[in-house]
Amino acid sequence: DLTTDEHLMPLRYFGDQVLRRHAADVPDITGDLVDFGRTMLVTMDHEDGIGLAAPQVGRSIRMLVHGLPDDAPPVLFNPVIVESRGESVYQEGCLSIPGLYIDVVRPSEIHLRAWDDRGNEVDLDADGLLARVVQHEMDHLDGLLFVDRISVEDRISAEAELHKRVAGTLGTSDPFLTGKAIKALLRKHV
C-alpha cells in the first residue's frame, strides 16, 4: 500500500522560505527523481490535492505533479509556458495554504513544453482545469503563491488571515512579521 506514512512527504506551508525561492532546473531525470515523482503523487492524493510542486515538499527543483493523467503525463520536469491565451476566473486553493480559497484570474489556455518521467519531451495545448493546475504549480516553481495574483480587496482579507496563521506559528514578535532588523545578523562595520 503506497499510502503508508513512509510513502508520504510532509508539506511546506505559507511562511516557509522554500516556497519563495526560484526553483532550479532539473538537468537529468534520474531514477531517484522518478521515485520522488511517484511519492509526490501519493502525497498529493493523500492530501486531496489536484497538483503539487516540488518546493511544496521541500525540494527547490522545477518539477510538478498533477491529478489529471488522462490530459497530460502526471509528472512534469522543467515546464515552460510557451504561449497563453484568453482569461478565466476560478476559485483556487493551495495545499500550502490550507482552508483559503480565492478567485484568481489566469489565462484560460496555455501551450506547454516539459519533460515526462521517461525523459520524453511533452508539447501540448491545455485548457480548463489542466491549464489552471499547471499554471498554479508553475507559480510555485517561481517562488509565487496564488495569493500573489489576487485582487487588492481579496489581498487585504487574505493578508489578515495569513498574518494570524504565521503569527500563531512564529510568534507576533518574529522579525519576519515585524520587519525589524535581527541584531545577530546585522553586519558589523570594521
Side-chain angles (χ1 to χ4, degrees), residues 121-136:
E121 187 172 10
V122 175
D123 192 352
L124 63 91
D125 290 312
D127 60 8
L129 189 56
L130 179 62
R132 172 77 46 178
V133 170
V134 166
Q135 290 174 84
H136 177 107

Side-chain angles (χ1 to χ4, degrees), residues 161-182:
E161 174 62 24
L162 294 173
H163 182 79
K164 281 193 299 188
R165 291 181 187 192
V166 175
T169 303
L170 300 176
T172 55
S173 63
D174 188 280
F176 288 109
L177 292 177
T178 64
K180 293 179 182 170
I182 304 170

Side-chain angles (χ1 to χ4, degrees), residues 30-160:
T30 63
D32 286 344
L33 286 177
V34 171
D35 291 344
F36 180 64
R38 287 189 193 118
T39 306
M40 283 179 64
L41 285 165
V42 170
T43 301
M44 175 194 73
D45 194 48
H46 178 79
E47 297 290 342
D48 295 323
I50 195 163
L52 186 67
Q56 290 180 276
V57 289
R59 288 193 66 182
S60 192
I61 59 173
R62 298 192 75 75
M63 177 180 177
L64 65 87
V65 300
H66 65 85
L68 301 164
D70 292 340
D71 298 332
V75 180
L76 298 172
F77 295 91
N78 300 326
V80 175
I81 294 174
V82 178
E83 184 182 347
S84 62
R85 296 176 291 284
E87 186 175 282
S88 69
V89 178
Y90 191 85
Q91 191 175 70
E92 291 187 22
C94 182
L95 293 176
S96 293
I97 312 175
L100 191 65
Y101 300 92
I102 301 175
D103 285 343
V104 179
V105 178
R106 293 189 186 272
S108 55
E109 300 174 51
I110 60 170
H111 183 87
L112 174 74
R113 284 203 186 114
W115 281 260
D116 67 14
D117 59 1
R118 294 183 180 134
N120 298 316
E121 187 172 10
V122 175
D123 192 352
L124 63 91
D125 290 312
D127 60 8
L129 189 56
L130 179 62
R132 172 77 46 178
V133 170
V134 166
Q135 290 174 84
H136 177 107
E137 301 312 327
M138 284 183 65
D139 274 354
H140 283 297
L141 305 181
D142 293 328
L144 297 172
L145 299 170
F146 81 102
V147 293
D148 297 321
R149 296 196 178 274
I150 60 178
S151 70
V152 173
E153 298 82 20
D154 287 338
R155 182 182 298 268
I156 290 168
S157 62
E159 282 179 354

